[in-house]
Amino acid sequence: LYDKTRAKNLLKEAGYPNGFKTTMYVFGRVVPANYPTALAEMLRAVGIDIVVETPTAGKYDEYRYAGWHNAVMNHALMNYSNFSSLGQYFRGLQFPSVKLPAGYVEGDDAAATSKEPQKELIQALVRIMYDDVMVIPYIEETKISFLGKGVHNDDKALYDLTYMLVSNAWLEPSARK
């Protein structure tokens, strides 16, 4: 829940009574433009001077793989069919500027190497991420795909993120009844 007074107090406690300046790089291919716009307005309202940039795909990937400084990444994560692999997203080549908190690697290893998904291990890893504010989830979307005879949804096979490209889905005339 957005609490402007609490946010200002937290900034003050963190040593930023007058806020600070930063940039938000947006993964424009999948993050709808109104999401980061709304988030930036809330941050500005508490004193954070933030510039929203939607770099080209190449420039965004440069930040994503080579790193960035004094900025936040507004990125979308895909739906995971196996949440045991969630932690691997931040341990590979992507997001080298994300600081991995204490216990993260060990928690990720435990979750990823269990034979069956272990709810407790996955929850512990998410708790580590949450407590350290490593990732700040601010919206969740659910993607619904309709599958059946005569239904074509190439988006499902090509890019399984929550943002459905409806222009890629269509029904054969026989399926429109």
Side-chain angles (χ1 to χ4, degrees), residues 26-49:
V26 179
F27 189 31
R29 197 169 62 197
V30 294
V31 176
N34 57 332
Y35 294 6
T37 299
L39 181 60
E41 286 305 313
M42 289 187 278
L43 294 171
R44 287 184 192 110
V46 299
I48 298 174
D49 182 4

Side-chain angles (χ1 to χ4, degrees), residues 47-123:
I48 298 174
D49 182 4
I50 189 162
V51 174
V52 178
E53 292 184 18
T54 305
T56 64
K59 187 65 176 173
Y60 186 88
D61 279 349
E62 182 181 321
Y63 293 133
R64 185 173 167 184
Y65 291 97
W68 63 92
H69 180 71
N70 191 28
V72 295
M73 302 290 278
N74 194 309
H75 192 80
L77 294 176
M78 67 182 168
N79 293 320
Y80 282 90
S81 57
N82 178 359
F83 282 98
S84 296
S85 62
L86 172 65
Q88 295 296 316
Y89 199 77
F90 299 101
R91 289 186 58 197
L93 299 174
Q94 300 182 77
F95 308 109
S97 296
V98 172
K99 176 184 128 316
L100 299 179
Y104 180 85
V105 171
E106 297 81 5
D108 179 43
D109 285 345
T113 57
S114 63
K115 290 184 180 186
E116 296 290 324
Q118 300 292 320
K119 180 179 175 182
E120 300 79 22
L121 295 174
I122 297 164
Q123 287 175 336

